[in-house]
Amino acid sequence: MAYQILRDLCTACGDCEQACPSHSISPWKGVYRIDAATCTECDGEGEPGMPQCLDACMEEDCIVPA
């Protein structure tokens, strides 16, 4: 399962894009989106079970499971 960015909460700061080791986050229509086809949920990267985009995002509940 991948994650998604909620458009209404995204501030388009870009912190999540920089944190993504699989380069699955990109700008889209003024905010950011996660490509579910390439999102690995940071499996094998950093702290197990903790996607790096969640740690980088400053907005509460902006990035959620898809």
Side-chain angles (χ1 to χ4, degrees):
M1 174 174 42
Y3 279 77
Q4 67 180 352
I5 297 172
L6 301 179
R7 291 182 51 99
D8 293 343
L9 298 177
C10 181
T11 62
C13 69
D15 290 346
C16 59
E17 180 183 27
Q18 295 172 25
C20 182
S22 62
H23 307 287
S24 297
I25 301 176
S26 58
W28 183 71
K29 295 186 179 185
V31 292
Y32 282 82
R33 70 174 186 94
I34 299 174
D35 183 350
T38 59
C39 176
T40 64
E41 296 182 41
C42 299
D43 188 31
E45 302 282 339
E47 185 179 331
M50 181 58 145
Q52 294 180 26
C53 58
L54 291 177
D55 193 39
C57 185
M58 301 297 277
E59 294 299 314
E60 189 75 28
D61 298 325
C62 180
I63 302 174
V64 297

